[in-house]
Amino acid sequence: MEEKARILYVEDDLTLSYVTRDNLEIKGYAVDHCEDGIIALQKINTGTYDLCILDVMLPRMDGFTLAGEIRKNNTEIPILFLTARSSKEDRISGFKLGGDDYITKPYNIEELVLKIEVFLKRRKIIPEIPTRTATIRLGQFTFDPDNQKLLAGQTVCYLTRKENELLSFLATHPDQIIKREEILRKVWGSDHFFASRSLDVFISRLRKILAFDSRIRIENVHNTGYRLKTGL
């Protein structure tokens, strides 16, 4: 069974807190409710939570101060403010203290739940561990994308980052026609005019490098794009 996400909910309005906590528990969340900022800080310093929902106007320690204290030890946990104040200055203050979002009272429970789901999904995204790219054989060349180099016998040619990215993309589609627009979007992230001119320059540079082996060449495909011929 999947473990429930734990939420620290800090609200001094007992009627509102009862309704909100009840609805969140129905949605499957484990909710710890506190009525003031001091108790909430003690709880978060001794427990493990996936998200904090903080009212701004709290007794003993307000929500902004509480958020600042939380951020001293925890920069990752999402903090969502609940407030009856909607001024631009209040929102900026909250964001500067490390808050992630605001909901203005009175709020809709469904809106609150949707925001919670967004933040919890973000937290579950695990960065990919970089894996080593296998070397690629291109005629007499051994292409090592991870180290940005081409080897031909005892000769080593180190590529620039953009040369490496461009050759990597071409080499993973050997003997296939690749449209200019596709190359530009993949390698440059844009198909605007200046990126297009830059592509022409880098194609020319790669052709000079690959001239060591006449079987390996980058062909123009008229009005379409390019093809890396491997001589196979």
Side-chain angles (χ1 to χ4, degrees), residues 137-142 213 215-216 230:
R137 192 71 184 177
L138 296 172
Q140 298 181 51
F141 295 104
T142 300
D213 186 341
R215 295 174 298 169
I216 308 300
T230 62

Side-chain angles (χ1 to χ4, degrees), residues 38-200:
I38 297 293
I39 296 174
L41 185 59
Q42 293 170 352
K43 278 187 171 290
I44 200 163
N45 285 338
T46 57
T48 303
Y49 295 94
D50 298 292
L51 182 138
C52 294
I53 301 175
L54 312 180
D55 184 32
V56 172
M57 300 298 289
L58 293 169
R60 299 211 290 168
M61 179 185 288
D62 66 78
F64 287 160
T65 303
L66 175 57
E69 291 297 317
I70 291 171
R71 282 288 180 251
K72 288 179 181 179
N73 299 310
N74 190 327
T75 59
E76 300 297 326
I77 189 168
I79 295 176
L80 180 61
F81 287 116
L82 304 177
T83 180
R85 306 187 306 187
S86 59
S87 72
K88 179 181 177 181
E89 290 74 18
D90 282 343
R91 289 174 180 268
I92 291 173
S93 296
F95 289 132
K96 284 181 177 179
L97 287 165
D100 294 282
D101 207 344
Y102 263 89
I103 289 187
T104 304
K105 295 179 180 179
Y107 53 83
N108 181 288
I109 290 293
E110 290 303 317
E111 179 189 2
L112 176 61
V113 169
L114 286 173
K115 286 183 180 288
I116 290 170
E117 289 176 351
V118 167
F119 285 119
L120 292 180
K121 285 177 182 177
R122 288 179 186 172
R123 294 207 77 193
K124 289 181 179 179
I125 296 174
I126 302 172
E128 294 183 5
I129 299 173
T131 56
R132 177 163 178 79
T133 306
T135 57
I136 301 170
R137 192 71 184 177
L138 296 172
Q140 298 181 51
F141 295 104
T142 300
F143 177 35
D144 182 357
D146 283 350
N147 294 300
Q148 296 184 202
K149 63 182 181 181
L150 273 172
L151 300 90
Q154 299 300 310
T155 303
V156 180
C157 177
Y158 289 95
L159 304 174
T160 66
R161 182 177 62 84
K162 192 62 71 178
E163 288 169 348
N164 190 68
E165 291 175 358
L166 178 55
L167 184 57
S168 293
F169 189 49
L170 294 172
T172 54
H173 301 81
D175 300 300
Q176 298 177 32
I177 297 173
I178 309 175
K179 293 181 179 179
R180 285 182 64 92
E181 293 78 9
E182 185 178 355
I183 297 172
L184 288 166
R185 286 194 297 269
K186 179 67 177 179
V187 181
W188 273 264
S190 169
D191 59 359
H192 61 66
F193 174 80
F194 295 105
S196 184
R197 299 284 70 80
S198 180
L199 170 59
D200 295 335

